[in-house]
Amino acid sequence: MSTVAGVGLDREELRERYRVEREKRLRADGTDQYVRIAGEYAHFEDDPYVAPGFTRPPRTDDVEVALIGGGFGGLLTGARLHQLGVEDVRIIEKGGDVGGTWYWNRYPGIACDVESYVYIPLLEELDYVPVEKYSRGEEIQAHCRRIAEHFDLYRNAMLQSRVTEVRWDEGVRRWIITTDRGDAIRARFVTLANGFLQKPKLPGIPGLATFRGRAFHTSRWEYSYTGGDARGNLTGLVDKRVGIIGTGATAVQCVPHLGAAAAHLYVFQRTPSSIDVRANRPTDPDWAGLLEPGWQQRRIENFQVLTAGGWSEEDLVADGWTDITRKLLSVSVQQGNPDLSPEAIAEMLETADFLKMEEIRARVDELVADPATAEALKPWYRQFCKRPCFHDEYLQTFNRKNVTLVDTRGRGVERITEDGVVVDGTTYELDCLIFATGFEVGTSYSRRAGFEIVGRGGRTLTEHWANGVRTFHGIHIHGFPNLFMNSTAQSALTVNFPYLIDLQARHAAWTIAEALARDIGEVEASAEAEAGWVDEVVTRAARSAQFSEGCTPGYYNNEGTADAKSRQGTFFFGAPTEYAEILETWRAEGTMEGLECR
Ligand code: NDP
């Protein structure tokens, strides 16, 4: 028996258990197991947060910069442009307000479990300190509105406007943006900030369309039916049998509220999440009062370093996210003078991971009374195979008499009927079925965005990316002048998305401001610069492929079917601070190397 760090865990046994659990979940249809929200399913994407009947006359004017998407991507790019004196900016947003993720996701219990002081951007600039260590969704959405107001981004914004195409017009050297409101806006620069996890997906379960009760996706919560609000109190469900499919980060947050309200709640689980301690607490006013200028950026960078497995004397955030790194350090200290070969480091990482996951599994036994239910709620994979979750009421919800965990043992729901959900031949009759089944990742960019981007010579982005994503710095694309991506593809891997978004926002804003100042008509990635970045990403992705291939399926590894093409579209795979340094150095040099300036 090869024991782990002298604590009696059998390394081979754990590896084998993880492998078996992964095998159970692998499916030949990979990402095709999900159905596209269109046609008979189109209503699953309707905006429940706006009054119906909004109209306005079409617009055909000019703007310097169009920001497609009013989430953190559009807002931060707008803010950074404003700081550089570029004011002729327009956000074009399909929702009824800014906020993106925080506009759409309003389900009961919604909160962010990345610490608010590092997650919420521009705190110092806007003189705001969040009220809790982990913010609720409403507070973050309100902060999005605060950013839009502070940087004057509402004045020119077009809300409830869904982009239908973005096309480069060679004649006028402008992008033409058309929308479902009949608009044709001309923009000199465009930032695509239409979001990463934004296109809801539904599982292609047989009978999906036949259910006669109420059904909706968590990102379009129907409070008109459930009653209550993001804080719970779902009075409309007191006499309802409710089912929820999915047990990812979203379900973990809303299940306690559903359990508290529904006559009966059935939670249909395919793979359990890892649920660590959350320990939220109000912000200490004394602490907030002593914060010194520059505190937020220092805290953000400290968190980036630690969550990327780097070394820092201090751990300012000190929570579940940084705990894995602390465990790793303690393993290496236990080993005295550790061997630092790549193999030895990989083994130490695995050891730290085993220790962490044992702790997570022990927590389930501590909190869940019924042993069979507890067993079913234990995750058997490495912590970062799926998004780790943090919650202090989720597991206890399964101790309620009106809550049943229906564990599908990795297979997923068998069938949906007019009356409910079938698992192992048993029908669970339901009045309401909620899909906590996540968002499209790994489908084509234009499918997720909902529009095509047509660049120089009429070439579409779909054509340009037919064999895999191609960018320079994860931001510029050859053949698409004056266009900037704000996206995870080929950019830094971080658990704190606004950090990445802001890096790209600053970079795009700087490039636009420089192009305007230097009177450059077009900036576009050269074919060579793009090829160089793609090669770098592919090389780095190959190094981490082994980890991801050993993982249980999910959107992190293209449902366990990650191939060279899909790996090319993933992150840049370095510490996020390394990505930041690459961009900062490039800007400091000021030569715009890799861009063709015309
Ligand atoms: P996920 O994609 O993480 O979860 C989808 C869930 O649906 C999984 O449990 C999946 O099971 C399940 N599922 C899919 N198909 C079936 C099926 N046929 N039968 C049964 N179950 C099925 O989506 P979420 O919305 O939960 O989270 C998306 C992301 O949003 C997170 O990863 C995180 O990045 C972010 N987020 C962050 C939050 C936070 O800060 N706390 C809160 C919420 C979301 P399986 O695992 O087997 O595929």
Side-chain angles (χ1 to χ4, degrees):
M1 172 167 118
S2 136
T3 58
V4 174
V7 291
L9 296 177
D10 186 328
R11 191 183 292 279
E12 294 309 327
E13 203 178 282
L14 283 169
R15 283 181 181 162
E16 179 58 12
R17 176 77 196 259
Y18 287 12
R19 191 192 62 75
V20 168
E21 294 291 335
R22 169 189 149 84
E23 297 283 310
K24 270 190 210 169
R25 291 169 171 82
L26 279 175
R27 301 167 52 126
D29 51 2
T31 51
D32 290 340
Q33 68 182 280
Y34 295 102
V35 296
R36 185 176 177 185
I37 296 192
E40 63 181 323
Y41 302 115
H43 63 281
F44 276 96
E45 243 189 327
D46 289 349
D47 185 346
Y49 316 123
V50 289
F54 170 76
T55 57
R56 64 163 171 78
R59 296 179 71 168
T60 53
D61 54 350
D62 286 81
V63 289
E64 203 79 85
V65 189
L67 305 171
I68 300 181
F72 277 138
L75 291 170
L76 289 172
T77 310
R80 299 303 180 193
L81 283 165
H82 181 96
Q83 289 173 328
L84 294 173
V86 182
E87 303 280 357
D88 185 9
V89 169
R90 174 173 300 159
I91 286 177
I92 305 175
E93 165 58 52
K94 67 182 177 204
D97 203 344
V98 299
T101 289
W102 302 101
Y103 173 85
W104 294 108
N105 290 281
R106 302 185 187 193
Y107 55 81
I110 181 159
C112 181
D113 49 27
V114 174
E115 195 203 59
S116 59
Y117 320 123
V118 299
Y119 181 85
I120 302 186
L122 300 170
L123 289 179
E124 283 190 78
E125 288 87 339
L126 273 66
D127 196 20
Y128 182 75
V129 179
V131 299
E132 288 170 293
K133 185 168 170 79
Y134 302 100
S135 288
R136 292 168 201 261
E138 306 139 69
E139 185 179 33
I140 307 174
Q141 201 198 343
H143 193 76
C144 290
R145 289 196 293 269
R146 192 176 293 120
I147 296 172
E149 273 154 21
H150 184 90
F151 294 100
D152 197 22
L153 297 170
Y154 275 126
R155 183 175 41 88
N156 206 9
M158 289 184 356
L159 303 172
Q160 296 194 59
S161 305
R162 190 180 287 270
V163 171
T164 49
E165 188 188 70
V166 177
R167 180 180 285 271
W168 178 250
D169 184 327
E170 308 268 3
V172 291
R173 297 169 91 195
R174 291 288 182 274
W175 288 99
I176 311 296
I177 301 155
T178 45
T179 76
D180 64 350
R181 301 269 170 207
D183 309 306
I185 312 293
R186 280 177 305 277
R188 184 160 167 183
F189 300 97
V190 168
T191 287
L192 297 174
N194 33 280
F196 169 50
L197 294 165
Q198 56 84 24
K199 172 84 182 161
K201 65 177 160 51
L202 295 175
I205 299 168
L208 174 65
T210 60
F211 182 63
R212 282 185 313 198
R214 194 70 166 235
F216 55 87
H217 188 272
T218 47
S219 66
R220 305 289 189 277
W221 196 273
E222 295 194 13
Y223 283 109
S224 59
Y225 175 79
T226 66
D229 57 26
R231 292 190 178 227
N233 196 25
L234 309 173
T235 49
L237 299 180
V238 286
D239 56 351
K240 303 287 188 301
R241 297 159 302 175
V242 178
I244 182 166
I245 298 183
T247 49
T250 297
V252 165
Q253 294 185 331
C254 57
V255 156
H257 293 284
L258 290 171
H264 202 97
L265 173 68
Y266 296 94
V267 180
F268 297 98
Q269 171 181 276
R270 189 164 69 179
T271 309
S273 284
S274 72
I275 320 287
D276 206 348
V277 174
R278 185 138 173 283
N280 200 7
R281 56 175 182 264
T283 299
D284 173 358
D286 295 338
W287 170 81
L290 293 172
L291 291 169
E292 298 201 350
W295 72 268
Q296 193 188 18
Q297 196 57 30
R298 270 198 303 282
R299 198 172 181 95
I300 288 175
E301 279 168 19
N302 177 255
F303 183 74
Q304 292 307 324
V305 168
L306 287 174
T307 49
W311 164 250
S312 168
E313 287 268 331
E314 53 180 358
D315 178 359
L316 293 169
V317 172
D319 69 357
W321 289 108
T322 55
D323 188 44
I324 182 94
T325 308
R326 285 200 299 275
K327 291 227 161 14
L328 178 63
L329 292 174
S330 74
V331 169
S332 77
V333 168
Q334 271 173 30
Q335 291 185 356
N337 188 11
D339 171 4
L340 292 179
S341 64
E343 297 74 26
I345 290 177
E347 190 160 301
M348 276 196 300
L349 277 169
E350 188 189 46
T351 302
D353 204 309
F354 283 148
L355 292 173
K356 181 78 225 175
M357 291 306 277
E358 279 295 302
E359 207 178 279
I360 297 278
R361 290 187 283 264
R363 186 166 184 255
V364 182
D365 281 329
E366 240 169 68
L367 299 176
V368 178
D370 173 51
T373 306
E375 213 42 47
L377 285 165
K378 289 181 188 167
W380 294 97
Y381 46 80
R382 288 184 64 166
Q383 194 188 25
F384 285 95
C385 283
K386 283 199 176 284
R387 198 211 193 249
C389 298
F390 304 86
H391 212 284
D392 298 334
E393 289 103 38
Y394 174 74
L395 292 168
Q396 296 89 322
T397 303
F398 295 96
N399 296 332
R400 299 182 68 107
K401 285 199 170 50
N402 67 327
V403 176
T404 306
L405 176 72
V406 184
D407 181 32
T408 66
R409 297 189 303 283
R411 291 195 302 266
V413 164
E414 191 178 307
R415 207 151 31 90
I416 294 176
T417 67
E418 287 184 356
D419 305 317
V421 163
V422 182
V423 175
D424 284 339
T426 303
T427 301
Y428 298 86
E429 291 193 357
L430 303 171
D431 301 300
C432 172
L433 180 54
I434 299 169
F435 292 94
T437 43
F439 302 88
E440 287 194 16
V441 174
T443 50
S444 85
Y445 186 85
S446 58
R447 171 171 154 168
R448 275 175 287 140
F451 56 87
E452 187 55 274
I453 300 118
V454 188
R456 264 194 304 111
R459 185 171 163 82
T460 65
L461 188 64
T462 304
E463 287 161 352
H464 187 60
W465 284 3
N467 296 318
V469 170
R470 304 189 63 76
T471 72
F472 173 48
H473 286 164
I475 295 174
H476 312 274
I477 307 166
H478 179 63
F480 297 80
N482 293 357
L483 183 88
F484 302 84
M485 301 286 296
N486 196 291
S487 145
T488 54
Q490 303 193 341
S491 65
L493 171 63
T494 173
V495 298
N496 187 17
F497 278 111
Y499 173 78
L500 165 65
I501 292 169
D502 196 28
L503 293 181
Q504 296 185 327
R506 286 173 202 239
H507 201 71
W510 182 90
T511 311
I512 291 169
E514 281 300 299
L516 290 170
R518 298 184 201 181
D519 209 15
I520 299 169
E522 292 173 26
V523 287
E524 179 187 330
S526 70
E528 300 72 41
E530 187 182 84
W533 188 256
V534 172
D535 285 349
E536 183 70 27
V537 169
V538 168
T539 308
R540 287 170 178 242
R543 281 185 222 144
S544 67
Q546 206 187 349
F547 175 86
S548 128
E549 279 160 16
C551 274
T552 190
Y555 78 83
Y556 276 21
N557 65 354
N558 212 35
E559 302 302 331
T561 62
D563 53 10
K565 182 179 162 187
S566 71
R567 282 204 297 271
Q568 187 171 319
T570 59
F571 303 97
F572 166 73
F573 288 110
T577 43
E578 182 192 353
Y579 179 68
E581 272 163 29
I582 292 172
L583 299 186
E584 274 159 26
T585 306
W586 185 91
R587 294 200 298 273
E589 283 166 1
T591 56
M592 298 218 190
E593 197 178 339
L595 295 187
E596 287 166 358
C597 300
R598 295 186 282 268

